[in-house]
Amino acid sequence: MALRKVKQRRGFADYLNVGTDAESYAFLGTGVTKLDESPSAQTSSKRYVSDKSLSKGITGYDDSFPFETDQIRSEEAIEFICNIGEKRLTGTDAETDFIRVDLDKKVGASGSEYEARKFLVAVEVADFADSDGEMTASGNLLCIGDMVEGKFDTTAKKFTATADTPSGS
């Protein structure tokens, strides 16, 4: 019987663009206690006259990344998130790029480039809570538009879109 290997959470590295004018990616790891991915596939269905059952299909996605974090304000990405909630930022002031890197999928020979997906997100800070005297923050990274596939250099902190995917994000 073959041993089944389950993907480990630490096999992903997440980065948030904390720059105002240019790309400046900060690691979103230390202090983060939860960062899930919810693709939330959207479906449509239709019944054809010759069938008893519905035919269903996927029409799109309503992506979000629910998060929970301790307020370790020395972590640049956490400071960025908390600032959005504390200052009640809205619109483009609450939007940034989010990169999810798959550390199990190296690209090239550099040793620091991996397959990655880039999402434009609105940072929804839903709650600042007290957890036994320590402050936390929680909410969602709400996706705007389509993701962009590419690669991310974890040393240079640079995303490069794959040639055949739109780079509009």
Side-chain angles (χ1 to χ4, degrees):
M1 185 167 147
L3 185 61
R4 295 184 179 134
K5 185 177 178 188
V6 176
K7 176 88 172 172
Q8 298 293 301
R9 176 59 182 91
R10 66 181 177 271
F12 290 108
D14 300 298
Y15 293 84
L16 205 58
N17 184 0
V18 298
T20 53
D21 297 327
E23 291 184 350
S24 177
Y25 289 103
F27 181 60
L28 190 55
T30 301
V32 178
T33 57
K34 173 183 164 183
L35 184 53
D36 293 340
E37 182 172 355
S38 299
S40 299
Q42 303 299 294
T43 62
S44 66
S45 58
K46 184 174 253 188
R47 184 184 319 272
Y48 293 105
V49 296
S50 59
D51 295 336
K52 288 191 281 184
S53 300
L54 290 173
S55 294
K56 294 186 177 189
I58 305 295
T59 59
Y61 292 88
D62 184 11
D63 294 300
S64 66
F65 293 86
F67 68 84
E68 294 175 5
T69 180
D70 292 332
Q71 285 194 34
I72 301 175
R73 303 302 282 262
S74 59
E75 291 295 316
E76 203 173 2
I78 293 172
E79 176 63 23
F80 181 84
I81 289 169
C82 290
N83 184 61
I84 288 171
E86 289 171 348
K87 293 187 177 177
R88 308 301 199 260
L89 300 180
T90 61
T92 57
D93 292 336
E95 295 173 4
T96 193
D97 289 324
F98 170 68
I99 308 284
R100 173 145 285 183
V101 179
D102 191 333
L103 298 174
D104 293 330
K105 296 181 179 176
K106 278 194 175 188
V107 177
S110 74
S112 62
E113 289 183 319
Y114 301 87
E115 285 185 19
R117 296 173 292 145
K118 178 179 175 182
F119 302 85
L120 176 62
V121 297
V123 180
E124 173 205 14
V125 180
D127 195 35
F128 290 123
D130 176 348
S131 177
D132 198 25
E134 296 181 332
M135 295 304 295
T136 64
S138 62
N140 295 284
L141 303 178
L142 304 171
C143 294
I144 301 167
D146 293 332
M147 74 169 187
V148 177
E149 294 179 85
K151 63 183 179 179
F152 189 80
D153 186 320
T154 56
T155 301
K157 295 184 180 175
K158 179 169 175 37
F159 179 83
T160 305
T162 304
D164 61 347
T165 60
S167 60
S169 183

